Amino acid sequence: MDVTPDDEAMLDRLQRHAFGYFLQHGNPVNGLVADTSRPNSPSSIATVGFALSAYPVGVERGWIPRAEAVQRCLVALRFFWHSDQGGTPESTGWHGFYYHFLDMDSGLRVWACEVSLIDSALLLAGMLAAAAYFTDSTPAETELRELAHALYGRVDWHWAQHHGAAVVHGWKPEGGFLHYGWEGYSEAILLYVLGLGSPTRPLTTASFEAWSATYQWENLYGYDFLYAGPLFIHQFSHAWIDFRGIRDRFMREKRCDYFENSRRATYVQREYAIRNPRSFVGYNAQCWGLTAGDGPSVAPQNVAGRRQAFYGYAARGVPYGPDDGTISVPGIVSSLVFAPEIVLPTLRTLLARSGAAATRAVQASGFNATARSPDTPAESGPWISEGEFGLDQGMVVLMVENFRSGLLWRLLRACPFMQTGLRRAGFRGGWLDTAAQP
């Protein structure tokens, strides 16, 4: 569709603000980036992955000098390469994977969190994106590529198939592997592709079939699609992988692809908001978007004759919930590549609202016009999440850039590990058939 100069300016403002998160909330000593802008937040390894992917965007857009971006990447890669991989309660990772949350200064595990497979995959995707972009023969960029490839090669993916062919969610030193695996359609498609593409200790080829065998194909509001309730599931892997025109066995049988599937999921989200079956305030064709993110933690309230609870941070989804009236604008922005014809009008409407609260609502993890604190008058406006979340801002940077230039898709289409992983997962067609074999 045609994008007006005003649209371009709007997207540039949104994207540049989101990029600024990584400059403001990173530790220059070790490259770690805070999970949120709230005081004393630890680092999320997934947020570091988004930062590593965002720095090339910043260079292309002129928001950061190339040399500074390279140094930011190098500091992070050196930290992870030399980090404690002993798998103890006071280390950084195990078997090449990393704990979900790390102390911003020491880089050691916090909150008794798990070694997270999916968050490690998001971190590794960022490493490979940086390596694919910084290709000059300078000592710094050469070291960057060597470290990224060495860190990816250090991962023991086969270790994560503890319960069988499917990959486990994670591991804790106190109790071992978590008692559930990555089964059912989710953002873990990136995890499986990276695991299958490893040149050292890859996942077995049975892993992807075991995963996709648990898919749930549905018809909702007239759309046939591979179901997942929250928007982020239909978005995260697409930040790095161009799924347009490439299909695995499942999608060949459905005569669809994952990109088209995400487009349909976006329309399902809007249709749900139009129908607004639970009568939340503000839901309509220009106000939709349920995903994982922050929401109110106020006491239950009466809504449309029922007692409505509010869930705080949760993975909200449609049409089966959970839903408490919380909308995520970063979730809307991240659907831009799939359905700009409905996303751009939605963003125009949301951004047309005046005042500081409206601006905060667009940048925050979530806002809710239904929930009210006892001491908050209705005329004060919607509940708005405090601060910003690194995952939200990272997705805005990457998905807006994929819409504007396709940069991340181009970089990772040329990555031999990504190509190998897709082929081993059974993908064929489109750009993958014309890409040079690694």
Side-chain angles (χ1 to χ4, degrees), residues 243-249 251-252 256-257 419 422-434:
F243 285 104
R244 294 174 298 177
I246 65 172
R247 299 175 175 179
D248 60 0
R249 177 198 55 78
M251 283 298 179
R252 284 193 292 274
C256 190
D257 62 43
Q419 291 180 28
L422 287 166
R423 291 188 174 108
R424 293 190 72 207
F427 283 86
R428 300 199 301 268
W431 64 265
L432 192 58
D433 284 356
T434 59

Side-chain angles (χ1 to χ4, degrees), residues 353 357-358 360-361 367-372 376 378-385:
R353 300 172 181 174
R360 284 201 301 119
F367 73 89
N368 190 312
T370 300
R372 298 288 174 191
T376 302
E379 61 271 17
S380 65
W383 174 94
I384 301 172
S385 174

